[in-house]
Amino acid sequence: MLRVFLALFTFLILGFAEENITLQKQKQEEIEVQKRAQIALYNDELKSVDEKLSKNIWIKRYENYKTYYQIQKELKELEKKIGKIKKRKKKRELQDYQAKLETLKSQLTLLNEYKESPFVEVLKPHPIEKAPEIKNPFKIISALSYIKKIKSYKEYYKQKLVDLQAALKLLEEKNTLLLKEYRLTKDPKLRKEIDELTQEIKEFKEALRIAQETLSVYTRKIEENILKTTEEIKLQSQKAATIGAIILGLFILTLILKWMIRRYIQDNQRAYMANKIVNFNFAILIILILLFAYIENVSYLVTILGFASAGIAIAMKDMFMSLLGWMVIVVGGSIHVGDRIKVTKEGRDFVGDVIDISLLRITILEDVTLTSYLHNIRSGRVIFVPNNYIFTDLIANYTHLGLKTVWDSINFNITFDSNYKKAAHIAREIARKYAKGYTDIARKQLNKLRSTYHLKNTNVDVRVYTFAEEYGIRVSLWYMTNSYATLTLRSTISAEIIERYLAEPDITITYPAQKIFLTKDQSSATKPPENIYEVEA
């Protein structure tokens, strides 16, 4: 009975044990399934982190940096192996190792730019250029550009730190996932990867710490330069505003002076010259203001100009002579705007009215005159005469000091048997009739000139001269006419004198002529006629 009881008890105990083992296996299997599921989840998260890390520039540089030194380490080990193989004289094995050596060297060459630590760039920000010196308003533009540039340096450096922080965060996240996976798997490879990653995180943290300190110093330096440059811009702007206000005041004063000139000076020539003087003084004042405002050492400039004056005088002789000529013209008053002048250059004459006198040249508008009729053929051109011509060439002024008249002459040739006295009388009477007004004006003007010049002969009456010439008697008529319209009166007087001479039977106008007599020989009808010319002068 006892044996039966013990067998039954043993059976029950073994059944319970077997059931417990089955339950434990099921539980272990469930734990393993959960573990594998957790590992798979960690691997998915690691893939996502690795994908983000692959897009970070700092991770790429660091990986290249590690790869460079890994290849360098392999290269050294391979060189040692090659040295041992050379001693054993195994050619085939030696060739394989040498080929691998060349491959590693080429890889090392490609990664040579990653030889230095990738954190060197973040630890050494872009150098800040020296702030520009703002000595004139034009430098304000470069100063504003400088401020914009150094601000961009700071923003670029900040962005690099943001990227570095993002990389560090991803590395820490990856490290956390690896630690969790290692606790489940106890894989030694994971332990090694975790150790390497921990070292990498340590280097990133150290680089980030130094970079943050560098950014703080870098920012203070940039802000100091910006503050200094902004202050200089402000001072220069105030200075420019002050100078602008002075120039504006001078401009308003110039306008007032010009208004007074137009109002109170009736003579156009004097008004024009007064305007020129006002404009010249205005320009000189502006130049002096700008020179003394923006040139730090004016005496230095004067010294340089003193040394350079000899060379400048030689190189720019004509310009300086023109400036001197302008001073002579303005101060001496020999030529004014509106005067009619004749300029002779290399045997050619140009007659016109002065329309402008500038620092370097006289501008004249060519008019239709006897000169253009006889010599130039054309007229109406604008001619520029350098002021230095007043020293080297002939410039004749037809209207100097208010003169409005000029002597003009007309010549007629009559035959020797003509009544030359009557011809001279007719010419004199016609000229007096048309030139009387100009004669009276000329007499008054010449009397006024006596106070300025020593004039001996002021007789301006019509003059007639007779001369014996080759083809007859020449009647030369001289009379006063308008300086600006000589051809008009000349044409009128010439036409009337010719009409009167043609109407007088005892006055014959002569001129060089030829007479040709044509005769025909009647003796030969078959021969062409021969022309016989008889010339009679």
Side-chain angles (χ1 to χ4, degrees), residues 155-329:
E155 294 301 322
Y156 179 67
Y157 193 75
K158 278 185 177 180
Q159 186 59 45
K160 288 196 293 185
L161 260 66
V162 169
D163 294 340
L164 187 62
Q165 288 173 340
L168 180 60
K169 185 178 179 181
L170 290 171
L171 290 174
E172 289 175 342
E173 186 178 347
K174 182 178 180 180
N175 190 51
T176 302
L177 292 172
L178 288 175
L179 284 171
K180 288 179 179 179
E181 187 175 349
Y182 176 74
R183 291 191 190 101
L184 295 175
T185 61
K186 301 299 180 179
D187 188 354
K189 292 182 179 179
L190 282 178
R191 182 73 261 175
K192 183 179 179 182
E193 186 177 356
I194 289 170
D195 292 340
E196 291 177 356
L197 189 58
T198 303
Q199 180 64 28
E200 189 173 337
I201 290 171
K202 184 179 179 181
E203 292 181 6
F204 268 78
K205 283 183 176 180
E206 182 65 18
L208 182 61
R209 183 187 66 79
I210 297 173
Q212 288 173 338
E213 294 177 358
T214 305
L215 177 62
S216 178
V217 177
Y218 193 60
T219 302
R220 286 198 298 271
K221 180 65 176 176
I222 287 176
E223 289 176 352
E224 179 184 351
N225 282 20
I226 290 175
L227 185 63
K228 179 182 176 182
T229 306
T230 304
E231 188 65 24
E232 289 186 3
I233 290 174
K234 183 179 178 182
L235 292 174
Q236 194 59 234
S237 300
Q238 292 176 350
K239 184 177 180 181
T242 303
I243 294 171
I246 294 172
I247 292 174
L248 180 61
L250 289 174
F251 180 72
I252 294 172
L253 178 61
T254 300
L255 293 179
I256 294 172
L257 291 174
K258 288 186 175 182
W259 176 81
M260 294 176 66
I261 289 169
R262 288 195 302 269
R263 184 177 180 86
Y264 296 107
I265 300 179
Q266 302 300 324
D267 190 291
N268 291 332
Q269 295 181 4
R270 292 184 179 180
Y272 176 84
M273 291 308 300
N275 277 323
K276 278 283 186 179
I277 292 171
V278 169
N279 291 335
F280 180 75
N281 289 329
F282 175 66
I284 291 297
L285 286 174
I286 289 178
I287 291 171
L288 290 176
I289 289 170
L290 294 176
L291 281 176
F292 283 98
Y294 292 112
I295 294 181
E296 294 182 352
N297 194 343
V298 179
S299 60
Y300 179 68
L301 175 64
V302 172
T303 304
I304 292 176
L305 291 177
F307 282 112
S309 59
I312 293 173
I314 295 172
M316 306 179 70
K317 180 186 69 174
D318 291 339
M319 183 177 290
F320 282 121
M321 290 298 292
S322 291
L323 290 172
L324 182 60
W326 177 80
M327 294 178 64
V328 171
I329 291 170

Side-chain angles (χ1 to χ4, degrees), residues 40-54:
L41 180 62
Y42 291 155
N43 287 332
D44 290 339
E45 291 181 2
L46 282 170
K47 286 180 181 178
S48 176
V49 172
D50 287 336
E51 185 178 354
K52 292 178 181 177
L53 285 171
S54 65

Side-chain angles (χ1 to χ4, degrees), residues 363-382:
T363 305
I364 65 175
L365 177 62
E366 192 179 21
D367 196 6
V368 179
T369 62
L370 188 62
T371 300
S372 57
Y373 165 68
L374 294 176
H375 304 291
N376 297 339
I377 310 302
R378 58 187 57 84
S379 187
R381 297 169 292 188
V382 175

